[in-house]
Amino acid sequence: MAACRWLLGTWIVIQYGCAVGYPKANRDSTMRDCSKTPPYLPATVKISTEDLHNIRQEMQAQNISAYIIPATDAHLGEYTAPREKRRQWLSGFTGSSGTAVVTSSRAAVFTDSRYWTQAERQMDCNWELQRTISSGDIVAWIFSEVSSGQQIGFDPFLFSIDEWTRYNNLIKDSGRILHSIPDNLVDKVWGSQRPSLPNSEIYSLPNDFVGDTWQQKVENIRDQMKKHAQKPTAVLLSALEETAWLFNLRAQDIPFNPYFYSYALLAEDSISLFVNNMSRITPELSTYLNTNCPQSTCVKVLDYNQVRESVIDYVKGNVIVWIGTKYTNYGLYEIIPKEKLLAEEYSPAMITKAVKNKKEQELLKNCHIRDAVAVIQYMIWLEKTVPSGTVNENNAGDYVDSLRTKQAYFKGPSFETISASGLNAALPHYRASNETNRGLTINEMYLVDSGGQYLDGTTDITRTVHWGKPSDFEKEAYTRVLIGNLELSMLVFPSATSGRVIESFARRALWEIGLNYGHGTGHGIGNFFSVHEWPAGFQSTNIPLREGMFTSIEPGYYQEGDFGIRIEDIVVVVEAKTEHTFENQKYLTFETVSLVPYDKNLIDTKLMTEIQINHVNNHYKKIRDILGKELKKQNLNEEYTWLEKNTEPLSHGQFVTASLTLLIVTFASCMFFQNESI
């Protein structure tokens, strides 16, 4: 009877702890409240009333009842120059993903779960937040506002072929009309306030930092053209990274990305490069691109705005143009006769770029060694400085960027650092501002997601740390996120497996207790390119994994209003050493390239298997061997001592008793239902 009373009492305590320990947060004062009269608007929102009025006047002049505003530019990349941020300028919402739609009486932004809270902080009450990015949902919302016979306007240069196809298929039988308007309406309203065209220096990479010369790359793509069954006569390259890759050229037209505004038309016997300012082609660059003139590797440089008329002229002949639909805008697609078009999801340049040769692999690994030095210096600085109470999200983010400047070949950050303390870290893609900036304390988790651009490669790493006494739930969540990272990185799988098939291995440990995360598990990364390099990765639109591809593995967990966890490593796909070879098929696995240890203070080894612990310990030995040499080379003795301490082998946890297991299961169940109710 006493035992029963003890169990009942313990159960009550646990239930009370669940209820009291994780209360629903009060309404966040940093978010808008449109239910109030007048609406409550934080200082972070943009007042859009006048701009919406002006764009509706432009819509009326064009006789359209709705206008679709994507977040992209004509090259359909993830990052855009300031002059291309039309949706951001109009709505105030700065997230990288999302589409705006304006009708005569309503306006809405459609975005995914990464940005819901952010959108509530940045948009005024003229805008509705629609928690979806589905084209079908966007069109259904438009149909609720637009009647049969009315027109829906869009800029064809801001739509990919695939996106236009999706919208057209959804609209064409409805009686509404999808109407192309090449002159962007937001640009008209933006007027003279719109930023000017970028004009940064275009330069060629030194031979030490490229895997192949640009002439070798041209030969490779032309060889693929010859071998293709449909015998294309030219490849049209529209993504900025495609032209940068092909010619081994870099610039800084796009924030955090070493690209320049350009297109390229690579034909069997000619090459045309379209650049937005001809004066950017210096005599040295002209020589670089025209060494072999008048042979077939002679590059003809034309004005950026001539691409459309040049393609129109080219397709008058007996030709077939090969394009990648993912990055070719509808404005170019519509001018190529369909019988002269070879359309595949990705161009041969994009797919070839994703698989690094041996030299490119070594270059990428080398830059991650130096980058790890900067991150470890940052961790030491945080440990010393956070207890003083002088560190906040803004100055912490600035400091990690400054440490990278001391490393060889550094060219700048690869994206805006995510420096997030406590509840702000629950926003996966949070960006600190003067209004949301929080101090770092030893009593809260801190998440830092940062990276650098180097001549030899691009880096991206996320670490989550806690300097005080984390709660049991925080430790369990962190450990399960770590287990997800490990289970995917240790996985052995057949060659040509798609990342989407295996990405759930990173979620399994979280799923076991009813937790999950709302973003992708990983993305490709390149040699001094975009930090999110397609088409490698774990999403449904990524191509199958191949040896030599680099990708991130970054599971996470985000407790709204409390904390956020993400552990991100860069890995390279390598051949696995298996005991057998079924039908002579090659098997693959991942080799971790990131060299920063995890936070021992947040790891509960009792939740880990012996295999997982051994994997961490083996990786720690690799970190000591590789990074230790670099630290000694740079005479960084304090950093070397820190590394030795923080890569000590993890010890194996002990098995818990049956009664304690029961309590843990009860607690986990409680947390699952509490999480579901938030």
Side-chain angles (χ1 to χ4, degrees):
M1 188 69 178
C4 289
R5 287 197 203 97
W6 178 84
L7 283 172
L8 178 60
T10 303
W11 180 83
I12 292 171
V13 168
I14 291 173
Q15 298 302 316
Y16 178 80
C18 288
V20 174
Y22 300 92
K24 292 183 179 179
N26 293 327
R27 188 164 188 89
D28 189 344
S29 63
T30 65
M31 297 168 63
R32 66 180 182 172
D33 187 348
C34 297
S35 66
K36 290 186 175 181
T37 305
Y40 170 73
L41 299 176
T44 49
V45 306
K46 174 191 170 169
I47 304 303
S48 62
T49 304
E50 182 179 354
D51 295 326
L52 279 172
H53 171 75
N54 291 337
I55 201 165
R56 284 174 174 136
Q57 286 189 319
E58 294 291 341
M59 290 167 57
Q60 188 175 9
Q62 293 284 340
N63 193 30
I64 58 173
S65 302
Y67 191 57
I68 304 171
I69 308 163
T72 57
D73 62 12
H75 302 277
L76 309 174
E78 178 182 0
Y79 291 88
T80 56
R83 68 182 274 108
E84 307 292 345
K85 296 183 182 296
R86 299 173 177 88
R87 187 217 61 207
Q88 174 179 322
W89 176 80
L90 186 63
S91 70
F93 171 57
T94 63
S96 64
S97 172
T99 298
V101 181
V102 178
T103 69
S104 59
S105 60
R106 294 169 68 189
V109 164
F110 299 76
T111 191
D112 64 65
S113 62
R114 294 174 296 168
Y115 299 110
W116 292 344
T117 302
Q118 181 179 334
E120 296 283 10
R121 289 176 172 176
Q122 295 180 325
M123 299 190 306
D124 67 12
C125 292
N126 288 312
W127 293 89
E128 303 170 20
L129 173 60
Q130 298 293 325
R131 299 169 186 252
T132 176
I133 55 173
S134 162
S135 301
D137 292 336
I138 295 173
V139 169
W141 186 90
I142 292 173
F143 282 1
S144 71
E145 291 290 299
V146 177
S147 302
S148 178
Q150 294 183 315
Q151 296 191 110
I152 301 165
F154 75 103
D155 181 344
F157 292 98
L158 303 184
F159 273 63
S160 70
I161 300 162
D162 292 344
E163 193 72 2
W164 176 85
T165 301
R166 282 192 290 271
Y167 276 95
N168 188 57
N169 288 340
L170 290 164
I171 293 171
K172 63 182 180 181
D173 295 326
S174 71
R176 289 105 172 157
I177 302 161
L178 188 59
H179 179 50
S180 173
I181 306 174
D183 293 329
N184 192 279
L185 302 189
V186 176
D187 293 350
K188 290 185 177 182
V189 175
W190 205 346
S192 61
Q193 297 178 10
R194 188 183 178 208
S196 59
L197 277 166
N199 196 27
S200 63
E201 176 193 4
I202 301 175
Y203 58 94
S204 61
L205 288 176
N207 288 334
D208 289 345
F209 298 108
V210 298
D212 291 308
T213 67
W214 73 262
Q215 291 91 345
Q216 289 171 324
K217 292 178 179 180
V218 166
E219 183 180 358
N220 183 321
I221 300 303
R222 281 176 170 160
D223 187 55
Q224 294 184 53
M225 291 162 57
K226 292 175 183 177
K227 292 178 179 178
H228 198 287
Q230 292 183 241
K231 304 299 181 186
T233 60
V235 176
L236 176 61
L237 302 179
S238 296
L240 299 183
E241 60 193 278
E242 292 176 320
T243 50
W245 172 83
L246 182 65
F247 298 108
N248 292 330
L249 295 176
R250 301 292 190 273
Q252 199 62 56
D253 287 6
I254 308 297
F256 308 112
N257 292 265
Y259 305 145
F260 55 99
Y261 275 98
S262 57
Y263 294 95
L265 184 64
L266 172 57
E268 295 171 308
D269 54 3
S270 66
I271 308 171
S272 298
L273 172 63
F274 303 88
V275 181
N276 73 309
N277 188 334
M278 298 287 286
S279 66
R280 303 171 76 184
I281 304 299
T282 63
E284 293 79 12
L285 268 185
S286 183
T287 300
Y288 170 80
L289 294 170
N290 292 284
T291 302
N292 296 319
C293 286
Q295 300 177 27
S296 61
T297 52
C298 176
V299 180
K300 184 179 182 181
V301 180
L302 300 169
D303 185 81
Y304 178 83
N305 293 319
Q306 289 183 261
V307 63
R308 185 177 169 98
E309 63 183 65
S310 294
V311 173
I312 290 174
D313 187 59
Y314 180 77
V315 296
K316 291 176 181 176
N318 183 23
V319 298
I320 296 178
V321 180
W322 192 357
I323 65 169
T325 59
K326 188 76 175 179
Y327 290 99
T328 303
N329 64 60
Y330 183 73
L332 290 179
Y333 171 80
E334 66 181 353
I335 64 174
I336 304 174
K338 301 307 169 278
E339 68 275 11
K340 297 184 177 184
L341 182 70
L342 168 57
E344 296 180 349
E345 186 170 20
Y346 297 104
S347 77
M350 191 69 79
I351 292 176
T352 304
K353 176 175 59 65
V355 181
K356 319 305 179 192
N357 62 30
K358 293 298 182 183
K359 183 178 178 182
E360 290 167 333
Q361 292 179 39
E362 286 305 309
L363 288 167
L364 257 174
K365 290 178 180 179
N366 288 340
C367 80
H368 278 82
I369 296 172
R370 301 191 307 279
D371 194 75
V373 173
V375 177
I376 285 174
Q377 289 178 315
Y378 183 58
M379 293 298 172
I380 295 172
W381 178 79
L382 289 172
E383 289 177 7
K384 290 180 176 180
T385 315
V386 168
S388 70
T390 60
V391 183
N392 58 47
E393 293 169 337
N394 276 333
N395 62 30
D398 292 341
Y399 192 70
V400 69
D401 290 339
S402 72
L403 289 170
R404 287 189 168 94
T405 65
K406 302 175 184 178
Q407 296 301 314
Y409 312 129
F410 181 72
K411 299 295 288 184
S414 55
F415 57 98
E416 183 181 355
T417 294
I418 299 173
S419 173
S421 175
L423 60 89
N424 283 341
L427 306 174
H429 287 240
Y430 167 77
R431 295 291 189 274
S433 66
N434 291 334
E435 293 78 18
T436 64
N437 187 28
R438 300 181 80 246
L440 276 59
T441 77
I442 62 171
N443 300 315
E444 290 184 318
M445 280 192 181
Y446 173 65
L447 183 154
V448 57
D449 185 347
S450 66
Q453 293 284 14
Y454 302 85
L455 285 175
D456 46 355
T458 305
T459 67
D460 183 8
I461 184 169
T462 308
R463 289 295 182 263
T464 306
V465 294
H466 195 302
W467 301 283
K469 183 175 174 55
S471 70
D472 290 342
F473 180 58
E474 287 173 328
K475 290 186 69 171
E476 177 170 13
Y478 180 94
T479 305
R480 289 184 178 276
V481 170
L482 176 59
I483 289 170
N485 181 301
L486 300 174
E487 289 197 341
L488 185 52
S489 65
M490 290 189 293
L491 188 68
V492 176
F493 52 92
S495 61
T497 296
S498 293
R500 62 180 174 80
V501 175
I502 60 176
E503 75 96 40
S504 60
F505 281 86
R507 302 177 186 267
R508 186 196 62 80
L510 290 167
W511 285 354
E512 283 182 343
I513 59 169
L515 303 181
N516 204 349
Y517 53 93
H519 57 73
T521 295
H523 55 80
I525 196 165
N527 292 84
F528 193 21
F529 281 116
S530 171
V531 72
H532 296 157
E533 184 183 72
W534 288 74
F538 297 96
Q539 299 187 41
S540 60
T541 54
N542 292 144
I543 62 176
L545 295 166
R546 290 170 56 185
E547 188 176 359
M549 286 183 172
F550 281 70
T551 182
S552 69
I553 294 178
E554 50 183 300
Y557 174 68
Y558 309 91
Q559 182 77 6
E560 186 176 357
D562 196 352
F563 65 84
I565 299 164
R566 186 160 63 253
I567 302 174
E568 176 185 20
D569 288 320
I570 299 301
V571 298
V572 57
V573 182
V574 297
E575 184 174 359
K577 297 178 181 178
T578 56
E579 183 179 355
H580 306 286
T581 53
F582 178 71
E583 294 184 349
N584 295 318
Q585 184 177 27
K586 182 184 292 187
Y587 278 72
L588 304 173
T589 188
F590 299 106
E591 174 191 334
T592 301
V593 174
S594 300
L595 298 172
V596 178
Y598 312 113
D599 186 6
K600 284 187 177 181
N601 191 36
L602 283 165
I603 298 175
D604 183 356
T605 56
K606 295 189 297 295
L607 297 172
M608 300 173 68
T609 66
E610 184 175 357
I611 292 174
Q612 292 161 358
I613 291 174
N614 288 339
H615 185 78
V616 172
N617 290 339
N618 289 335
H619 183 55
Y620 279 4
K621 182 180 184 303
K622 174 184 173 182
I623 292 176
R624 289 193 300 273
D625 291 344
I626 296 175
L627 194 56
K629 293 178 182 177
E630 183 67 23
L631 292 173
K632 288 182 177 180
K633 176 183 173 183
Q634 296 190 30
N635 296 315
L636 298 172
N637 296 324
E638 182 183 13
E639 288 81 352
Y640 184 84
T641 301
W642 185 94
L643 182 71
E644 289 284 293
K645 176 184 176 182
N646 285 273
T647 55
E648 291 175 354
L650 299 181
S651 59
H652 296 263
Q654 301 299 315
F655 290 105
V656 293
T657 64
S659 60
L660 183 56
T661 302
L662 175 62
L663 296 181
I664 291 172
V665 169
T666 305
F667 181 75
S669 175
C670 164
M671 286 310 306
F672 169 74
F673 288 111
Q674 179 71 17
N675 182 63
E676 287 293 293
S677 68
I678 292 177

